[in-house]
Amino acid sequence: MKLVRNVIVFDAAELTAESSFWAGIFGGYVFEDEAWHSVVDADGEWRIGVQLAPNHVPPEWPHGVPQQVHLDLHVDDPRAAHEEAISLGARLLQPAPDLDSDEGHQVYADPAGHPFCIGWGHPSQETLAAFVADRLGRRNHAGPAR
């Protein structure tokens, strides 16, 4: 499986607090949607996703509530990635409506039951670079985001 990108996704009840923290760690930026924030590092690489989970219960490491994080693995060939993941012991939890679509994802569980996604087509390196440049251009004209 040739990865195009991997993105760690955190559930959070407070999107801004979580995404701002990770943007600070990576020296990057937060791009916000209503229920999703993307953290892009200083080099323009998408590193962290934060999805809204209003009833999120924080982990109590190491012996309490389990950690709640999953990986998003982005690939060019979803069929080949699916076959490889299954052959390695993954279990398909949520299939995509159409593996031949330009963009999509499927949800799997690893052998221990940890969820992860294999996605494709969202977004290409070029599209991501244009998105970041556009958003940073708007942000620079509007002043710093808080």
Side-chain angles (χ1 to χ4, degrees):
M1 169 183 334
K2 179 185 177 286
L3 291 179
V4 175
R5 162 188 322 105
N6 70 53
V7 175
I8 297 172
V9 179
F10 293 99
D11 286 355
E14 298 292 331
L15 291 178
T16 300
E18 184 74 3
S19 59
S20 295
F21 170 79
W22 287 108
I25 294 291
F26 286 104
Y29 309 95
V30 176
F31 300 107
E32 302 176 6
D33 289 321
E34 186 174 321
W36 176 272
H37 289 190
S38 297
V39 175
V40 176
D41 71 14
D43 295 325
E45 293 292 325
W46 184 9
R47 296 293 178 195
I48 301 287
V50 182
Q51 64 186 4
L52 180 61
N55 299 319
H56 172 71
V57 176
E60 297 172 1
W61 188 87
H63 301 296
V65 176
Q67 294 183 44
Q68 300 152 355
V69 64
H70 72 269
L71 294 176
D72 280 356
L73 308 174
H74 294 256
V75 300
D76 288 324
D77 185 344
R79 288 185 184 281
H82 169 82
E83 293 303 322
E84 185 173 347
I86 295 297
S87 74
L88 292 169
R91 185 169 38 98
L92 181 63
L93 298 177
Q94 181 182 20
D98 181 6
L99 277 176
D100 295 318
S101 65
D102 290 339
E103 180 178 302
H105 73 278
Q106 297 197 122
V107 182
Y108 298 82
D110 69 12
H114 301 115
F116 67 96
C117 297
I118 294 177
W120 58 95
H122 42 148
S124 69
Q125 286 296 106
E126 295 79 18
T127 301
L128 180 60
F131 174 83
V132 170
D134 177 62
R135 292 290 177 97
L136 289 177
R138 281 193 250 160
R139 180 177 287 169
N140 289 339
H141 293 310
R146 296 276 176 209

